[in-house]
Amino acid sequence: MTGAPEESATFPFARPCPFAVPEEYARLRADGSVPRLPLAAGGDAWVVTRYEDVKNALNDDRLSNDRTHPGYPSPIAIPPAMRTNGSLLGMDPPEHTAYRRMVKAEFTLQRVRAMHPRVQQLVTEHLDRFVAKGAPGDLAADFAQPLTLAVIGELLAIPPQDLDGLHDATRGMFDAARTPEQRHAAISFLDHYFEQYVADRLEKPGDDMIGRIVQRNPQLGQTETVHLTRLLLNGGHDSTASMISLGVLTLLRHPEHFRALATDEAFAEDVVEELLRYLTVTDLTTARVAAADLEIGGSAIAAGDGVYPATAAANRDPEVFEDPETFDPTRAGRNRHLAFGFGRHLCLGADLARLELRLVFAELARRLPDLRLAVPEEQVTVRDGGFVYRLAALPVTW
Ligand code: HEM
């Protein structure tokens, strides 16, 4: 088997179906090669696929998150004016370390545990609403998206009537199908909205996530707070919503596991971890640019080169996961998946996302035990492009 990709291969590779990761990942992983590939959106990047290499890369101080660097790779073309480093995700130490500390207090396990009753209530209310509309329904657009938006919206104390507009603009910003002008308009709308939102909090901080952060950290500037709020809104719902839809689609193929979720809370935790591994919807969010010369898997990477540590490839590495192509929530040992990243940028919302996913899958199993697809599985389509892998729609009946 050879790791050399096809002459014409461009990155990102396509997934053959919602349950499989690109076939090229297995080929590259098998011989450990780290090729430099042209990117579909222009430029090129080194693609890393082995678990240990991916994990080390995500933890390597020589690999930077600087999105304003011309070598920083992206799955979609991003005009230079839209490349900002204002949020945590675009920062490197020591700035990142200090900034992350300010936000981390909002995501402690204790705080997330305290969110449990309210998140459960929101899950129940959104499912009531979805069911009341009648079968069949689109679980992606009419349940997963509004629910995850409502959760982060409440934490940020954003008026519920503003959430849909903000969501559309967020999607618009990262939608490869829209023109650069449309995407620029979306980002301007978000900046304008959040400038006012942050100004209100700086003037009179309330008891919401951003209010508390600005109160505890008076040194935090207006622009940084705008970028942080935007990141939390965006990161706080899109990946979780995608995990709900793809997770349900996966569970419908495994009715024995779906049924068990109704009563077994501990099992729900295992199911969530395995779905995170198996689906790895944020494969394309962990790009880096080399800040110094380094070597990965025998490839010499020069300062300024783009690097893609592919977490979906790492999460199917047979060196780490037995029978990795199989969805198996009963797999032994701790699930060491990298779906939330690794190292200094490890997802801050991971425990909140886990809570939402656990409660959603358990509630669906209890309330809709006959849940099933309303169309043949081949007709469930994915939405290509963008950073988060997701379904275009999930038509279900019950
Ligand atoms: C299943 C859902 C989610 C997945 C799969 C996911 C995945 C990720 C990944 C892979 C990263 C690291 C990116 C990198 O290394 O460059 C990340 C970072 C981050 N995520 Fe999530 N995320 C999810 C949900 C959430 C939620 C619910 C929130 C907040 C409410 C959130 C907030 C963040 C933040 C603030 C960061 C930046 C951390 C830093 O740069 O230090 N995420 N996420």
Side-chain angles (χ1 to χ4, degrees):
M1 210 183 273
T2 168
E6 302 284 318
E7 282 280 296
S8 58
T10 54
F11 192 80
F13 309 125
R15 296 196 188 202
C17 79
F19 310 105
V21 300
E23 283 151 10
E24 289 86 344
Y25 282 168
R27 281 205 298 277
L28 294 174
R29 217 176 30 222
D31 75 355
S33 67
V34 174
R36 185 179 193 167
L37 297 177
L39 300 173
D44 52 40
W46 299 91
V47 178
V48 187
T49 53
R50 278 191 168 176
Y51 182 92
E52 284 307 324
D53 288 343
V54 170
K55 195 170 146 184
N56 291 337
L58 293 176
N59 209 23
D60 194 321
D61 284 346
R62 294 165 299 176
L63 290 173
S64 155
N65 273 41
D66 181 359
R67 282 153 165 69
T68 60
H69 193 291
Y72 185 86
S74 168
I76 56 171
I78 302 193
M82 281 172 61
R83 291 173 174 244
T84 59
N85 276 345
S87 85
L88 273 178
L89 269 177
M91 292 178 182
D92 293 325
E95 194 189 11
H96 173 262
T97 322
Y99 203 84
R100 185 171 161 110
R101 204 173 295 132
M102 295 183 210
V103 185
K104 215 175 161 184
E106 292 298 320
F107 291 96
T108 58
L109 204 53
Q110 198 186 6
R111 264 208 191 272
V112 173
R113 283 204 183 117
M115 295 174 197
H116 186 141
R118 182 57 186 145
V119 175
Q120 177 62 66
Q121 204 177 2
L122 285 169
V123 170
T124 308
E125 283 170 15
H126 279 77
L127 193 55
D128 288 347
R129 235 171 275 163
F130 180 64
V131 169
K133 276 180 137 182
D138 178 357
L139 193 120
D142 295 332
F143 173 70
Q145 181 195 301
L147 168 67
T148 51
L149 207 49
V151 171
I152 191 66
E154 257 196 39
L155 292 173
L156 297 171
I158 292 174
Q161 66 274 17
D162 294 351
L163 287 171
D164 281 345
L166 291 170
H167 168 76
D168 283 347
T170 307
R171 277 273 163 92
M173 207 165 84
F174 296 121
D175 186 348
R178 304 198 195 182
T179 63
E181 292 72 29
Q182 286 171 323
R183 286 170 46 207
H184 205 84
I187 205 165
S188 302
F189 169 81
L190 289 170
D191 276 344
H192 184 72
Y193 182 92
F194 284 121
E195 271 157 25
Q196 191 55 52
Y197 168 96
V198 169
D200 291 347
R201 272 147 189 85
L202 288 173
E203 198 184 308
K204 199 165 172 263
D207 189 22
D208 59 69
M209 201 175 257
I210 298 298
R212 288 189 295 269
I213 291 174
V214 296
Q215 253 180 316
R216 278 197 307 267
N217 305 285
Q219 74 278 27
L220 203 59
Q222 152 103 9
T223 310
E224 291 160 307
T225 317
V226 166
H227 287 146
L228 173 66
T229 316
R230 224 172 57 195
L231 168 69
L232 289 174
L233 177 73
N234 182 29
H237 82 279
D238 222 20
S239 327
T240 318
S242 166
M243 275 301 302
I244 292 176
S245 311
L246 275 155
V248 167
L249 185 65
T250 309
L251 288 167
L252 293 182
R253 287 183 141 203
H254 300 270
E256 72 291 6
H257 297 324
F258 183 58
R259 274 194 303 273
L261 282 166
T263 51
D264 191 339
E265 278 186 30
F267 183 59
E269 286 181 21
D270 294 341
V271 167
V272 167
E273 294 312 310
E274 177 65 351
L275 285 171
L276 285 160
R277 179 195 76 82
Y278 189 65
L279 299 166
T280 318
V281 298
T282 44
D283 189 29
L284 300 177
T285 62
T286 46
R288 301 288 188 262
V289 59
D293 294 350
L294 75 158
E295 191 238 289
I296 307 178
S299 291
I301 295 170
D305 287 355
V307 178
Y308 252 113
T311 49
N315 283 343
R316 303 257 180 146
D317 189 335
E319 296 280 325
V320 179
F321 303 99
E322 203 181 318
D323 197 6
E325 304 300 327
T326 302
F327 171 70
D328 178 12
T330 67
R331 60 179 62 248
R334 195 173 67 82
N335 197 326
R336 297 159 57 206
H337 69 75
L338 303 176
F340 288 120
F342 185 77
R344 59 182 181 275
H345 289 278
L346 181 72
C347 178
L348 269 179
D351 287 324
L352 173 60
R354 287 180 163 115
L355 173 70
E356 291 181 59
L357 295 172
R358 259 187 2 246
L359 297 182
V360 162
F361 296 137
E363 183 86 356
L364 284 170
R366 273 194 300 270
R367 300 259 309 267
L368 304 178
D370 293 327
L371 189 69
R372 57 198 181 279
L373 282 178
V375 296
E377 196 182 81
E378 317 77 74
Q379 285 177 27
V380 178
T381 51
V382 297
R383 190 188 287 264
D384 270 339
F387 290 87
V388 177
Y389 184 71
R390 70 165 70 91
L391 295 177
L394 183 59
V396 291
T397 188
W398 51 89

